[in-house]
Amino acid sequence: MKPGVRVLAVSGGVGGAKLALGLARVLPPAELAVLVNTGDDFTHLGLRICADLDTVLYTLAGVVNTTQGWGRADESFGFMDELRRQGGPDWFLLGDRDLVLHVERSRRLAAGETLTQIMADLAYRFGLTTRLLPMTDAPVATLLDTSVGQLEFQHYFVRLRSIPEVQRLHYAGAAQARPSDDLLTLLRSRTLETIILCPSNPYLSIDPILAVPGMRAALRAAAVPIVAVSPLVGGRAVKGPTTKIMQELGIEISSLAIASHYAGLIDGLLVDESDARTELTGSVAKEFSKLGIVVDTARTLMSTLDDRRRLAEVALNFAKRLRPTESRTAPKSWSGSV
Ligand code: FO1
């Protein structure tokens, strides 16, 4: 009999993939599934690029370029060199091996396969037993209203290096999307024990997932503890524009703001030990408990594989100490220790 999935990680790209890798190293990989943001997906040079899915795929398969956190380690750039010579757009780097995934995915989508089916097959071909689940099979695009106009995510993030000031975020297509049947089946399965929101950007990477109608309700109805790992370390994001966007959107940069953002969804928030001294004492601690969120601390910086494994273990143990909130539908068969 195939083993069931016990843990669902919810992830964006680089930062989330690091924790997903830690989880895949401390759990039997087939007992882990990763629900991945597709709001960063876009069509470029006629190809469907699914940046976060590919980042998680390459990371779990051990072929990622660990210096940059995306793309492949063993890569050549003949296509890019020639594209540049021909005057094509060269701001988005596509390595020769990486390109194959975009070409194949585009071909298969055009032939009528779903993104869920394609990613399941690609994961299998890369030797993974961990399921990679796109947040939906419908096209959804994270759009940013900025000081230089409306931008698709990759144009904001890569082409303009996150420099424009962000005024508002939209998830175009989300209202017409729905969670895939595979994801809903997993969320209803009796084997699922824990959901972990990885330390991805809450606004750019996790919100597009939660914007899919029915997603929040389906995650909550799983009636398992949901733990988020804060992306802040010492009041700053490790990588990417998280704190810049929080500032521009007028959101206080604190673990409490992250907790408020996820209130009603998560049961526990894991914050970095460097934020604990300043944020988890006195009146702030009371604010967390008003939100119904239990807070714990850990070293959340993931520089090495050991860091990733250790944080995965801490997050799983933290979840075991939590019961899903009362507001959820009745637990299926709660067996966690108290
Ligand atoms: N990130 C960059 O900073 N520059 C790039 O040229 C770039 C190309 C690229 C190609 C394929 C792919 O799957 C990812 C790529 N990324 C690139 C990463 C990506 O834009 C971001 O890391 C994520 O979308 C944010 O989570």
Side-chain angles (χ1 to χ4, degrees):
M1 202 176 85
K2 271 171 95 179
V5 169
R6 286 170 48 215
V7 177
L8 177 67
V10 182
S11 176
V14 179
K18 287 184 182 175
L19 183 56
L21 179 63
L23 288 164
R25 291 291 178 270
V26 300
L27 293 164
E31 295 180 13
L32 172 70
V34 191
L35 167 57
V36 184
N37 171 40
T38 61
D40 295 7
D41 296 10
F42 77 138
T43 301
H44 182 62
L45 302 168
L47 301 171
R48 195 66 189 154
I49 317 276
C50 301
D52 287 355
L53 277 164
D54 292 354
T55 296
V56 174
L57 173 66
Y58 291 154
T59 302
L60 295 186
V63 300
V64 77
N65 177 327
T66 50
T67 311
Q68 58 195 22
W70 52 268
R72 294 193 55 158
D74 182 15
E75 191 56 289
S76 58
F77 290 90
F79 169 80
M80 273 324 284
D81 292 343
E82 193 54 31
L83 182 68
R84 210 167 285 129
R85 260 194 293 276
Q86 301 304 331
D90 63 354
W91 58 270
F92 196 75
L93 282 182
L94 294 171
D96 298 332
R97 283 172 190 266
D98 183 40
L99 194 59
V100 175
L101 236 60
H102 313 308
V103 170
E104 263 303 279
R105 179 168 38 227
S106 305
R107 180 186 68 77
R108 293 173 68 164
L109 283 169
E113 284 185 68
T114 66
L115 187 58
T116 299
Q117 288 166 340
I118 297 166
M119 291 315 299
D121 184 54
L122 290 174
Y124 171 79
R125 286 170 190 275
F126 273 86
L128 297 186
T129 51
T130 298
R131 287 292 316 266
L132 299 192
L133 295 166
M135 67 191 202
T136 178
D137 286 319
V140 173
T142 297
L143 300 180
L144 301 97
D145 290 348
T146 76
S147 45
V148 298
Q150 192 171 77
L151 298 167
E152 266 189 312
F153 175 83
Q154 299 294 350
H155 284 262
Y156 162 78
F157 187 74
V158 177
R159 187 168 64 80
L160 299 176
R161 290 172 286 125
S162 311
I163 290 170
E165 188 183 318
V166 176
Q167 293 145 355
R168 224 181 128 203
L169 300 171
H170 314 257
Y171 309 107
Q176 292 78 45
R178 61 181 297 276
S180 69
D181 290 339
D182 286 17
L183 174 63
L184 293 175
T185 303
L186 166 64
L187 289 171
R188 288 188 201 115
S189 88
R190 301 191 72 82
T191 58
L192 188 68
E193 291 173 4
T194 306
I195 297 172
I196 295 184
L197 304 195
C198 293
S200 300
N201 185 317
Y203 314 95
L204 288 176
S205 301
I206 305 294
D207 275 4
I209 302 176
L210 300 178
V212 174
M215 185 65 81
R216 263 178 184 267
L219 292 170
R220 286 170 56 110
V224 299
I226 305 182
V227 164
V229 179
S230 170
L232 302 179
V233 176
R236 301 181 63 83
V238 181
K239 197 173 177 288
T242 306
T243 49
K244 177 177 177 285
I245 284 181
M246 289 174 85
Q247 232 155 20
E248 290 165 354
L249 295 178
I251 301 165
E252 183 193 78
I253 299 166
S254 68
S255 308
L256 186 58
I258 304 287
S260 307
H261 188 73
Y262 289 139
L265 176 69
I266 64 169
D267 304 291
L269 180 71
L270 204 50
V271 307
D272 188 70
E273 54 196 16
S274 63
D275 292 312
R277 280 184 294 280
T278 47
E279 296 204 26
L280 300 183
T281 49
S283 58
V284 184
K286 278 202 198 110
E287 294 299 317
F288 279 105
S289 79
K290 272 194 217 157
L291 293 172
I293 293 173
V294 179
V295 186
D296 204 353
T297 62
R299 203 182 108 87
T300 62
L301 201 65
M302 292 180 283
S303 310
T304 65
L305 182 57
D306 266 357
D307 293 339
R308 285 157 217 194
R309 278 203 213 103
R310 194 186 23 75
L311 183 60
E313 263 164 3
V314 171
L316 292 172
N317 288 331
F318 180 35
K320 275 191 194 147
R321 304 201 309 270
L322 302 170
R323 278 173 184 277
T325 50
E326 298 295 330
S327 58
R328 301 239 175 91
T329 51
K332 290 171 291 198
S333 60
W334 174 249
S335 60
S337 56
V338 188

